[in-house]
mmCIF file with all atom_site columns, all heavy atoms in Angstrom:
data_model
loop_
_atom_site.group_PDB
_atom_site.id
_atom_site.type_symbol
_atom_site.label_atom_id
_atom_site.label_alt_id
_atom_site.label_comp_id
_atom_site.label_asym_id
_atom_site.label_entity_id
_atom_site.label_seq_id
_atom_site.pdbx_PDB_ins_code
_atom_site.Cartn_x
_atom_site.Cartn_y
_atom_site.Cartn_z
_atom_site.occupancy
_atom_site.B_iso_or_equiv
_atom_site.pdbx_formal_charge
_atom_site.auth_seq_id
_atom_site.auth_comp_id
_atom_site.auth_asym_id
_atom_site.auth_atom_id
_atom_site.pdbx_PDB_model_num
ATOM 1   N N   . PHE A 1 1  ? 0.853   -1.185  0.000   1.00 94.00 ? 1  PHE A N   1
ATOM 2   C CA  . PHE A 1 1  ? 0.000   0.000   0.000   1.00 94.00 ? 1  PHE A CA  1
ATOM 3   C C   . PHE A 1 1  ? 0.890   1.238   0.000   1.00 94.00 ? 1  PHE A C   1
ATOM 4   O O   . PHE A 1 1  ? 1.922   1.272   0.672   1.00 94.00 ? 1  PHE A O   1
ATOM 5   C CB  . PHE A 1 1  ? -0.902  0.009   1.228   1.00 94.00 ? 1  PHE A CB  1
ATOM 6   C CG  . PHE A 1 1  ? -1.924  -1.086  1.224   1.00 94.00 ? 1  PHE A CG  1
ATOM 7   C CD1 . PHE A 1 1  ? -1.664  -2.293  1.851   1.00 94.00 ? 1  PHE A CD1 1
ATOM 8   C CD2 . PHE A 1 1  ? -3.140  -0.923  0.589   1.00 94.00 ? 1  PHE A CD2 1
ATOM 9   C CE1 . PHE A 1 1  ? -2.603  -3.318  1.852   1.00 94.00 ? 1  PHE A CE1 1
ATOM 10  C CE2 . PHE A 1 1  ? -4.090  -1.940  0.582   1.00 94.00 ? 1  PHE A CE2 1
ATOM 11  C CZ  . PHE A 1 1  ? -3.810  -3.136  1.211   1.00 94.00 ? 1  PHE A CZ  1
ATOM 12  N N   . SER A 1 2  ? 0.474   2.260   -0.730  1.00 90.00 ? 2  SER A N   1
ATOM 13  C CA  . SER A 1 2  ? 1.291   3.465   -0.856  1.00 90.00 ? 2  SER A CA  1
ATOM 14  C C   . SER A 1 2  ? 1.427   4.217   0.467   1.00 90.00 ? 2  SER A C   1
ATOM 15  O O   . SER A 1 2  ? 2.389   4.950   0.648   1.00 90.00 ? 2  SER A O   1
ATOM 16  C CB  . SER A 1 2  ? 0.718   4.396   -1.919  1.00 90.00 ? 2  SER A CB  1
ATOM 17  O OG  . SER A 1 2  ? -0.570  4.844   -1.542  1.00 90.00 ? 2  SER A OG  1
ATOM 18  N N   . ASP A 1 3  ? 0.496   4.018   1.399   1.00 88.00 ? 3  ASP A N   1
ATOM 19  C CA  . ASP A 1 3  ? 0.515   4.807   2.630   1.00 88.00 ? 3  ASP A CA  1
ATOM 20  C C   . ASP A 1 3  ? 1.011   4.045   3.864   1.00 88.00 ? 3  ASP A C   1
ATOM 21  O O   . ASP A 1 3  ? 1.055   4.611   4.948   1.00 88.00 ? 3  ASP A O   1
ATOM 22  C CB  . ASP A 1 3  ? -0.877  5.382   2.901   1.00 88.00 ? 3  ASP A CB  1
ATOM 23  C CG  . ASP A 1 3  ? -1.914  4.310   3.129   1.00 88.00 ? 3  ASP A CG  1
ATOM 24  O OD1 . ASP A 1 3  ? -1.705  3.172   2.675   1.00 88.00 ? 3  ASP A OD1 1
ATOM 25  O OD2 . ASP A 1 3  ? -2.931  4.605   3.773   1.00 88.00 ? 3  ASP A OD2 1
ATOM 26  N N   . THR A 1 4  ? 1.390   2.765   3.725   1.00 87.00 ? 4  THR A N   1
ATOM 27  C CA  . THR A 1 4  ? 1.890   2.009   4.871   1.00 87.00 ? 4  THR A CA  1
ATOM 28  C C   . THR A 1 4  ? 2.752   0.842   4.403   1.00 87.00 ? 4  THR A C   1
ATOM 29  O O   . THR A 1 4  ? 2.555   0.329   3.302   1.00 87.00 ? 4  THR A O   1
ATOM 30  C CB  . THR A 1 4  ? 0.738   1.468   5.748   1.00 87.00 ? 4  THR A CB  1
ATOM 31  O OG1 . THR A 1 4  ? 1.299   0.792   6.879   1.00 87.00 ? 4  THR A OG1 1
ATOM 32  C CG2 . THR A 1 4  ? -0.155  0.511   4.989   1.00 87.00 ? 4  THR A CG2 1
ATOM 33  N N   . GLU A 1 5  ? 3.687   0.459   5.244   1.00 87.00 ? 5  GLU A N   1
ATOM 34  C CA  . GLU A 1 5  ? 4.500   -0.727  4.963   1.00 87.00 ? 5  GLU A CA  1
ATOM 35  C C   . GLU A 1 5  ? 4.089   -1.884  5.859   1.00 87.00 ? 5  GLU A C   1
ATOM 36  O O   . GLU A 1 5  ? 4.723   -2.934  5.851   1.00 87.00 ? 5  GLU A O   1
ATOM 37  C CB  . GLU A 1 5  ? 5.985   -0.401  5.157   1.00 87.00 ? 5  GLU A CB  1
ATOM 38  C CG  . GLU A 1 5  ? 6.501   0.587   4.125   1.00 87.00 ? 5  GLU A CG  1
ATOM 39  C CD  . GLU A 1 5  ? 7.995   0.808   4.223   1.00 87.00 ? 5  GLU A CD  1
ATOM 40  O OE1 . GLU A 1 5  ? 8.674   0.016   4.897   1.00 87.00 ? 5  GLU A OE1 1
ATOM 41  O OE2 . GLU A 1 5  ? 8.472   1.770   3.625   1.00 87.00 ? 5  GLU A OE2 1
ATOM 42  N N   . ASP A 1 6  ? 3.032   -1.700  6.632   1.00 88.00 ? 6  ASP A N   1
ATOM 43  C CA  . ASP A 1 6  ? 2.606   -2.702  7.606   1.00 88.00 ? 6  ASP A CA  1
ATOM 44  C C   . ASP A 1 6  ? 1.759   -3.820  7.015   1.00 88.00 ? 6  ASP A C   1
ATOM 45  O O   . ASP A 1 6  ? 1.680   -4.893  7.587   1.00 88.00 ? 6  ASP A O   1
ATOM 46  C CB  . ASP A 1 6  ? 1.820   -2.047  8.745   1.00 88.00 ? 6  ASP A CB  1
ATOM 47  C CG  . ASP A 1 6  ? 2.701   -1.155  9.601   1.00 88.00 ? 6  ASP A CG  1
ATOM 48  O OD1 . ASP A 1 6  ? 3.932   -1.352  9.587   1.00 88.00 ? 6  ASP A OD1 1
ATOM 49  O OD2 . ASP A 1 6  ? 2.165   -0.263  10.268  1.00 88.00 ? 6  ASP A OD2 1
ATOM 50  N N   . ASP A 1 7  ? 1.114   -3.569  5.906   1.00 91.00 ? 7  ASP A N   1
ATOM 51  C CA  . ASP A 1 7  ? 0.197   -4.548  5.323   1.00 91.00 ? 7  ASP A CA  1
ATOM 52  C C   . ASP A 1 7  ? 0.520   -4.788  3.853   1.00 91.00 ? 7  ASP A C   1
ATOM 53  O O   . ASP A 1 7  ? 1.082   -3.934  3.179   1.00 91.00 ? 7  ASP A O   1
ATOM 54  C CB  . ASP A 1 7  ? -1.259  -4.067  5.431   1.00 91.00 ? 7  ASP A CB  1
ATOM 55  C CG  . ASP A 1 7  ? -1.677  -3.809  6.863   1.00 91.00 ? 7  ASP A CG  1
ATOM 56  O OD1 . ASP A 1 7  ? -1.356  -4.642  7.726   1.00 91.00 ? 7  ASP A OD1 1
ATOM 57  O OD2 . ASP A 1 7  ? -2.309  -2.773  7.107   1.00 91.00 ? 7  ASP A OD2 1
ATOM 58  N N   . ARG A 1 8  ? 0.118   -5.961  3.375   1.00 93.00 ? 8  ARG A N   1
ATOM 59  C CA  . ARG A 1 8  ? 0.243   -6.328  1.974   1.00 93.00 ? 8  ARG A CA  1
ATOM 60  C C   . ARG A 1 8  ? -1.072  -6.944  1.526   1.00 93.00 ? 8  ARG A C   1
ATOM 61  O O   . ARG A 1 8  ? -1.793  -7.532  2.322   1.00 93.00 ? 8  ARG A O   1
ATOM 62  C CB  . ARG A 1 8  ? 1.365   -7.361  1.751   1.00 93.00 ? 8  ARG A CB  1
ATOM 63  C CG  . ARG A 1 8  ? 2.734   -6.927  2.200   1.00 93.00 ? 8  ARG A CG  1
ATOM 64  C CD  . ARG A 1 8  ? 3.316   -5.939  1.210   1.00 93.00 ? 8  ARG A CD  1
ATOM 65  N NE  . ARG A 1 8  ? 4.686   -5.600  1.522   1.00 93.00 ? 8  ARG A NE  1
ATOM 66  C CZ  . ARG A 1 8  ? 5.054   -4.480  2.137   1.00 93.00 ? 8  ARG A CZ  1
ATOM 67  N NH1 . ARG A 1 8  ? 4.148   -3.622  2.537   1.00 93.00 ? 8  ARG A NH1 1
ATOM 68  N NH2 . ARG A 1 8  ? 6.316   -4.224  2.358   1.00 93.00 ? 8  ARG A NH2 1
ATOM 69  N N   . LEU A 1 9  ? -1.384  -6.826  0.259   1.00 93.00 ? 9  LEU A N   1
ATOM 70  C CA  . LEU A 1 9  ? -2.545  -7.475  -0.326  1.00 93.00 ? 9  LEU A CA  1
ATOM 71  C C   . LEU A 1 9  ? -2.018  -8.522  -1.300  1.00 93.00 ? 9  LEU A C   1
ATOM 72  O O   . LEU A 1 9  ? -1.214  -8.198  -2.176  1.00 93.00 ? 9  LEU A O   1
ATOM 73  C CB  . LEU A 1 9  ? -3.419  -6.453  -1.053  1.00 93.00 ? 9  LEU A CB  1
ATOM 74  C CG  . LEU A 1 9  ? -4.729  -7.016  -1.593  1.00 93.00 ? 9  LEU A CG  1
ATOM 75  C CD1 . LEU A 1 9  ? -5.846  -6.015  -1.388  1.00 93.00 ? 9  LEU A CD1 1
ATOM 76  C CD2 . LEU A 1 9  ? -4.607  -7.373  -3.044  1.00 93.00 ? 9  LEU A CD2 1
ATOM 77  N N   . GLN A 1 10 ? -2.437  -9.763  -1.113  1.00 93.00 ? 10 GLN A N   1
ATOM 78  C CA  . GLN A 1 10 ? -1.965  -10.854 -1.964  1.00 93.00 ? 10 GLN A CA  1
ATOM 79  C C   . GLN A 1 10 ? -3.145  -11.486 -2.681  1.00 93.00 ? 10 GLN A C   1
ATOM 80  O O   . GLN A 1 10 ? -4.106  -11.941 -2.045  1.00 93.00 ? 10 GLN A O   1
ATOM 81  C CB  . GLN A 1 10 ? -1.252  -11.906 -1.129  1.00 93.00 ? 10 GLN A CB  1
ATOM 82  C CG  . GLN A 1 10 ? -0.681  -13.026 -1.960  1.00 93.00 ? 10 GLN A CG  1
ATOM 83  C CD  . GLN A 1 10 ? 0.150   -13.977 -1.133  1.00 93.00 ? 10 GLN A CD  1
ATOM 84  O OE1 . GLN A 1 10 ? 0.004   -14.060 0.078   1.00 93.00 ? 10 GLN A OE1 1
ATOM 85  N NE2 . GLN A 1 10 ? 1.035   -14.688 -1.781  1.00 93.00 ? 10 GLN A NE2 1
ATOM 86  N N   . PHE A 1 11 ? -3.087  -11.489 -4.014  1.00 92.00 ? 11 PHE A N   1
ATOM 87  C CA  . PHE A 1 11 ? -4.116  -12.165 -4.792  1.00 92.00 ? 11 PHE A CA  1
ATOM 88  C C   . PHE A 1 11 ? -3.896  -13.665 -4.711  1.00 92.00 ? 11 PHE A C   1
ATOM 89  O O   . PHE A 1 11 ? -2.762  -14.140 -4.685  1.00 92.00 ? 11 PHE A O   1
ATOM 90  C CB  . PHE A 1 11 ? -4.094  -11.704 -6.254  1.00 92.00 ? 11 PHE A CB  1
ATOM 91  C CG  . PHE A 1 11 ? -4.568  -10.290 -6.428  1.00 92.00 ? 11 PHE A CG  1
ATOM 92  C CD1 . PHE A 1 11 ? -3.681  -9.267  -6.694  1.00 92.00 ? 11 PHE A CD1 1
ATOM 93  C CD2 . PHE A 1 11 ? -5.913  -9.986  -6.310  1.00 92.00 ? 11 PHE A CD2 1
ATOM 94  C CE1 . PHE A 1 11 ? -4.120  -7.963  -6.847  1.00 92.00 ? 11 PHE A CE1 1
ATOM 95  C CE2 . PHE A 1 11 ? -6.368  -8.689  -6.455  1.00 92.00 ? 11 PHE A CE2 1
ATOM 96  C CZ  . PHE A 1 11 ? -5.465  -7.674  -6.725  1.00 92.00 ? 11 PHE A CZ  1
ATOM 97  N N   . VAL A 1 12 ? -4.983  -14.423 -4.670  1.00 92.00 ? 12 VAL A N   1
ATOM 98  C CA  . VAL A 1 12 ? -4.937  -15.885 -4.571  1.00 92.00 ? 12 VAL A CA  1
ATOM 99  C C   . VAL A 1 12 ? -5.459  -16.453 -5.883  1.00 92.00 ? 12 VAL A C   1
ATOM 100 O O   . VAL A 1 12 ? -6.497  -16.024 -6.386  1.00 92.00 ? 12 VAL A O   1
ATOM 101 C CB  . VAL A 1 12 ? -5.795  -16.368 -3.384  1.00 92.00 ? 12 VAL A CB  1
ATOM 102 C CG1 . VAL A 1 12 ? -5.811  -17.879 -3.302  1.00 92.00 ? 12 VAL A CG1 1
ATOM 103 C CG2 . VAL A 1 12 ? -5.284  -15.763 -2.080  1.00 92.00 ? 12 VAL A CG2 1
ATOM 104 N N   . ARG A 1 13 ? -4.721  -17.406 -6.434  1.00 92.00 ? 13 ARG A N   1
ATOM 105 C CA  . ARG A 1 13 ? -5.095  -18.026 -7.705  1.00 92.00 ? 13 ARG A CA  1
ATOM 106 C C   . ARG A 1 13 ? -5.449  -19.494 -7.498  1.00 92.00 ? 13 ARG A C   1
ATOM 107 O O   . ARG A 1 13 ? -4.922  -20.150 -6.607  1.00 92.00 ? 13 ARG A O   1
ATOM 108 C CB  . ARG A 1 13 ? -3.945  -17.930 -8.705  1.00 92.00 ? 13 ARG A CB  1
ATOM 109 C CG  . ARG A 1 13 ? -3.624  -16.512 -9.102  1.00 92.00 ? 13 ARG A CG  1
ATOM 110 C CD  . ARG A 1 13 ? -2.469  -16.477 -10.100 1.00 92.00 ? 13 ARG A CD  1
ATOM 111 N NE  . ARG A 1 13 ? -2.099  -15.121 -10.426 1.00 92.00 ? 13 ARG A NE  1
ATOM 112 C CZ  . ARG A 1 13 ? -2.612  -14.411 -11.424 1.00 92.00 ? 13 ARG A CZ  1
ATOM 113 N NH1 . ARG A 1 13 ? -3.526  -14.933 -12.207 1.00 92.00 ? 13 ARG A NH1 1
ATOM 114 N NH2 . ARG A 1 13 ? -2.215  -13.183 -11.653 1.00 92.00 ? 13 ARG A NH2 1
ATOM 115 N N   . ASN A 1 14 ? -6.329  -20.009 -8.372  1.00 92.00 ? 14 ASN A N   1
ATOM 116 C CA  . ASN A 1 14 ? -6.647  -21.439 -8.347  1.00 92.00 ? 14 ASN A CA  1
ATOM 117 C C   . ASN A 1 14 ? -5.648  -22.200 -9.214  1.00 92.00 ? 14 ASN A C   1
ATOM 118 O O   . ASN A 1 14 ? -4.689  -21.616 -9.726  1.00 92.00 ? 14 ASN A O   1
ATOM 119 C CB  . ASN A 1 14 ? -8.102  -21.704 -8.766  1.00 92.00 ? 14 ASN A CB  1
ATOM 120 C CG  . ASN A 1 14 ? -8.385  -21.300 -10.199 1.00 92.00 ? 14 ASN A CG  1
ATOM 121 O OD1 . ASN A 1 14 ? -7.477  -21.087 -11.011 1.00 92.00 ? 14 ASN A OD1 1
ATOM 122 N ND2 . ASN A 1 14 ? -9.666  -21.191 -10.538 1.00 92.00 ? 14 ASN A ND2 1
ATOM 123 N N   . ASP A 1 15 ? -5.869  -23.494 -9.384  1.00 95.00 ? 15 ASP A N   1
ATOM 124 C CA  . ASP A 1 15 ? -4.934  -24.338 -10.135 1.00 95.00 ? 15 ASP A CA  1
ATOM 125 C C   . ASP A 1 15 ? -4.803  -23.944 -11.607 1.00 95.00 ? 15 ASP A C   1
ATOM 126 O O   . ASP A 1 15 ? -3.795  -24.253 -12.242 1.00 95.00 ? 15 ASP A O   1
ATOM 127 C CB  . ASP A 1 15 ? -5.357  -25.810 -10.050 1.00 95.00 ? 15 ASP A CB  1
ATOM 128 C CG  . ASP A 1 15 ? -5.201  -26.352 -8.646  1.00 95.00 ? 15 ASP A CG  1
ATOM 129 O OD1 . ASP A 1 15 ? -4.409  -25.778 -7.864  1.00 95.00 ? 15 ASP A OD1 1
ATOM 130 O OD2 . ASP A 1 15 ? -5.868  -27.351 -8.316  1.00 95.00 ? 15 ASP A OD2 1
ATOM 131 N N   . THR A 1 16 ? -5.812  -23.266 -12.152 1.00 95.00 ? 16 THR A N   1
ATOM 132 C CA  . THR A 1 16 ? -5.744  -22.847 -13.554 1.00 95.00 ? 16 THR A CA  1
ATOM 133 C C   . THR A 1 16 ? -5.205  -21.430 -13.722 1.00 95.00 ? 16 THR A C   1
ATOM 134 O O   . THR A 1 16 ? -5.109  -20.928 -14.828 1.00 95.00 ? 16 THR A O   1
ATOM 135 C CB  . THR A 1 16 ? -7.125  -22.953 -14.237 1.00 95.00 ? 16 THR A CB  1
ATOM 136 O OG1 . THR A 1 16 ? -8.036  -22.076 -13.563 1.00 95.00 ? 16 THR A OG1 1
ATOM 137 C CG2 . THR A 1 16 ? -7.644  -24.382 -14.213 1.00 95.00 ? 16 THR A CG2 1
ATOM 138 N N   . GLY A 1 17 ? -4.873  -20.778 -12.610 1.00 92.00 ? 17 GLY A N   1
ATOM 139 C CA  . GLY A 1 17 ? -4.290  -19.443 -12.664 1.00 92.00 ? 17 GLY A CA  1
ATOM 140 C C   . GLY A 1 17 ? -5.273  -18.296 -12.547 1.00 92.00 ? 17 GLY A C   1
ATOM 141 O O   . GLY A 1 17 ? -4.874  -17.135 -12.571 1.00 92.00 ? 17 GLY A O   1
ATOM 142 N N   . ASP A 1 18 ? -6.570  -18.613 -12.414 1.00 91.00 ? 18 ASP A N   1
ATOM 143 C CA  . ASP A 1 18 ? -7.572  -17.558 -12.259 1.00 91.00 ? 18 ASP A CA  1
ATOM 144 C C   . ASP A 1 18 ? -7.521  -17.003 -10.832 1.00 91.00 ? 18 ASP A C   1
ATOM 145 O O   . ASP A 1 18 ? -7.376  -17.748 -9.862  1.00 91.00 ? 18 ASP A O   1
ATOM 146 C CB  . ASP A 1 18 ? -8.975  -18.101 -12.518 1.00 91.00 ? 18 ASP A CB  1
ATOM 147 C CG  . ASP A 1 18 ? -9.169  -18.568 -13.949 1.00 91.00 ? 18 ASP A CG  1
ATOM 148 O OD1 . ASP A 1 18 ? -8.582  -17.949 -14.854 1.00 91.00 ? 18 ASP A OD1 1
ATOM 149 O OD2 . ASP A 1 18 ? -9.884  -19.568 -14.149 1.00 91.00 ? 18 ASP A OD2 1
ATOM 150 N N   . ILE A 1 19 ? -7.679  -15.702 -10.700 1.00 90.00 ? 19 ILE A N   1
ATOM 151 C CA  . ILE A 1 19 ? -7.734  -15.094 -9.371  1.00 90.00 ? 19 ILE A CA  1
ATOM 152 C C   . ILE A 1 19 ? -9.082  -15.420 -8.743  1.00 90.00 ? 19 ILE A C   1
ATOM 153 O O   . ILE A 1 19 ? -10.135 -15.169 -9.328  1.00 90.00 ? 19 ILE A O   1
ATOM 154 C CB  . ILE A 1 19 ? -7.506  -13.582 -9.455  1.00 90.00 ? 19 ILE A CB  1
ATOM 155 C CG1 . ILE A 1 19 ? -6.075  -13.310 -9.903  1.00 90.00 ? 19 ILE A CG1 1
ATOM 156 C CG2 . ILE A 1 19 ? -7.789  -12.911 -8.114  1.00 90.00 ? 19 ILE A CG2 1
ATOM 157 C CD1 . ILE A 1 19 ? -5.750  -11.864 -10.137 1.00 90.00 ? 19 ILE A CD1 1
ATOM 158 N N   . THR A 1 20 ? -9.033  -15.992 -7.548  1.00 92.00 ? 20 THR A N   1
ATOM 159 C CA  . THR A 1 20 ? -10.256 -16.403 -6.849  1.00 92.00 ? 20 THR A CA  1
ATOM 160 C C   . THR A 1 20 ? -10.538 -15.557 -5.620  1.00 92.00 ? 20 THR A C   1
ATOM 161 O O   . THR A 1 20 ? -11.591 -15.685 -5.007  1.00 92.00 ? 20 THR A O   1
ATOM 162 C CB  . THR A 1 20 ? -10.159 -17.874 -6.423  1.00 92.00 ? 20 THR A CB  1
ATOM 163 O OG1 . THR A 1 20 ? -9.018  -18.044 -5.576  1.00 92.00 ? 20 THR A OG1 1
ATOM 164 C CG2 . THR A 1 20 ? -10.043 -18.778 -7.633  1.00 92.00 ? 20 THR A CG2 1
ATOM 165 N N   . GLY A 1 21 ? -9.604  -14.700 -5.255  1.00 91.00 ? 21 GLY A N   1
ATOM 166 C CA  . GLY A 1 21 ? -9.797  -13.855 -4.085  1.00 91.00 ? 21 GLY A CA  1
ATOM 167 C C   . GLY A 1 21 ? -8.499  -13.176 -3.706  1.00 91.00 ? 21 GLY A C   1
ATOM 168 O O   . GLY A 1 21 ? -7.550  -13.142 -4.484  1.00 91.00 ? 21 GLY A O   1
ATOM 169 N N   . PHE A 1 22 ? -8.477  -12.658 -2.490  1.00 91.00 ? 22 PHE A N   1
ATOM 170 C CA  . PHE A 1 22 ? -7.262  -12.031 -1.985  1.00 91.00 ? 22 PHE A CA  1
ATOM 171 C C   . PHE A 1 22 ? -7.203  -12.222 -0.479  1.00 91.00 ? 22 PHE A C   1
ATOM 172 O O   . PHE A 1 22 ? -8.185  -12.589 0.161   1.00 91.00 ? 22 PHE A O   1
ATOM 173 C CB  . PHE A 1 22 ? -7.203  -10.545 -2.351  1.00 91.00 ? 22 PHE A CB  1
ATOM 174 C CG  . PHE A 1 22 ? -8.199  -9.692  -1.596  1.00 91.00 ? 22 PHE A CG  1
ATOM 175 C CD1 . PHE A 1 22 ? -7.856  -9.112  -0.395  1.00 91.00 ? 22 PHE A CD1 1
ATOM 176 C CD2 . PHE A 1 22 ? -9.464  -9.481  -2.099  1.00 91.00 ? 22 PHE A CD2 1
ATOM 177 C CE1 . PHE A 1 22 ? -8.766  -8.335  0.305   1.00 91.00 ? 22 PHE A CE1 1
ATOM 178 C CE2 . PHE A 1 22 ? -10.389 -8.705  -1.419  1.00 91.00 ? 22 PHE A CE2 1
ATOM 179 C CZ  . PHE A 1 22 ? -10.037 -8.128  -0.208  1.00 91.00 ? 22 PHE A CZ  1
ATOM 180 N N   . GLN A 1 23 ? -6.031  -11.969 0.058   1.00 93.00 ? 23 GLN A N   1
ATOM 181 C CA  . GLN A 1 23 ? -5.884  -11.981 1.502   1.00 93.00 ? 23 GLN A CA  1
ATOM 182 C C   . GLN A 1 23 ? -4.998  -10.815 1.909   1.00 93.00 ? 23 GLN A C   1
ATOM 183 O O   . GLN A 1 23 ? -4.122  -10.392 1.159   1.00 93.00 ? 23 GLN A O   1
ATOM 184 C CB  . GLN A 1 23 ? -5.305  -13.300 1.992   1.00 93.00 ? 23 GLN A CB  1
ATOM 185 C CG  . GLN A 1 23 ? -3.999  -13.693 1.383   1.00 93.00 ? 23 GLN A CG  1
ATOM 186 C CD  . GLN A 1 23 ? -3.619  -15.121 1.740   1.00 93.00 ? 23 GLN A CD  1
ATOM 187 O OE1 . GLN A 1 23 ? -4.383  -15.866 2.325   1.00 93.00 ? 23 GLN A OE1 1
ATOM 188 N NE2 . GLN A 1 23 ? -2.418  -15.506 1.389   1.00 93.00 ? 23 GLN A NE2 1
ATOM 189 N N   . LEU A 1 24 ? -5.280  -10.270 3.087   1.00 90.00 ? 24 LEU A N   1
ATOM 190 C CA  . LEU A 1 24 ? -4.443  -9.227  3.642   1.00 90.00 ? 24 LEU A CA  1
ATOM 191 C C   . LEU A 1 24 ? -3.381  -9.900  4.504   1.00 90.00 ? 24 LEU A C   1
ATOM 192 O O   . LEU A 1 24 ? -3.702  -10.736 5.351   1.00 90.00 ? 24 LEU A O   1
ATOM 193 C CB  . LEU A 1 24 ? -5.264  -8.263  4.487   1.00 90.00 ? 24 LEU A CB  1
ATOM 194 C CG  . LEU A 1 24 ? -6.199  -7.359  3.714   1.00 90.00 ? 24 LEU A CG  1
ATOM 195 C CD1 . LEU A 1 24 ? -7.029  -6.518  4.673   1.00 90.00 ? 24 LEU A CD1 1
ATOM 196 C CD2 . LEU A 1 24 ? -5.419  -6.459  2.777   1.00 90.00 ? 24 LEU A CD2 1
#
């Protein structure tokens, strides 16, 4: 995030490479 170094957003992919969600 541009305003903090404390958190990250990670996209989660399924076995075929499609994004199925994210996690903080």
